[in-house]
Amino acid sequence: MKKTAGFSGRNLIGPRLREIRLAQDPKVSLEDLAGRLAARGVQLDRSAIGRIENKKRYVLDYELKAIGDSLRVDIREFFH
C-alpha cells in the first residue's frame, strides 16, 4: 500500500480530485471512478481513491493520468 506515512502535504491533488469528481454531471462516485480506472487497467479500489482524496496515499504518475482520462479532464486541472 502506498501511504504518505504521516507526512502531510505529500499528496497535493487529493482535495482537488474530490472537487472535480463531485463537479461532474452526474457526480461520479468512488465506486464508479474505480470501475472506470479498472477499465483502463489501473487497479484502484474506492478505498484507495478515498485515501488519495484524504491525502493519505501517494498518487503515481500513471494513476493520475488514468484518473484524468476517466474524469475527462487534463491532469493540469488537479493542480489549480
Side-chain angles (χ1 to χ4, degrees):
M1 183 171 5
K2 301 164 196 84
K3 291 186 177 184
T4 58
F7 295 107
S8 64
R10 285 281 183 101
N11 174 348
L12 300 176
I13 65 104
R16 183 72 175 135
L17 168 56
R18 176 173 287 161
E19 185 179 309
I20 291 169
R21 181 175 62 78
L22 296 176
Q24 302 281 304
D25 187 24
K27 293 178 183 177
V28 177
S29 69
L30 292 172
E31 192 69 37
D32 186 35
L33 181 54
R36 293 178 188 192
L37 291 167
R40 288 178 165 75
V42 176
Q43 300 303 313
L44 287 176
D45 63 15
R46 64 179 180 77
S47 175
I49 297 167
R51 288 192 310 272
I52 290 168
E53 290 183 348
N54 291 315
K55 299 167 74 171
K56 294 181 179 177
R57 183 189 181 281
Y58 289 104
V59 182
L60 301 175
D61 54 359
Y62 75 90
E63 293 172 336
L64 183 58
K65 172 76 169 100
I67 290 168
D69 291 346
S70 296
L71 295 173
R72 296 185 185 105
V73 297
D74 188 291
I75 60 172
R76 291 177 287 193
E77 290 296 316
F78 293 109
F79 298 98
H80 287 182

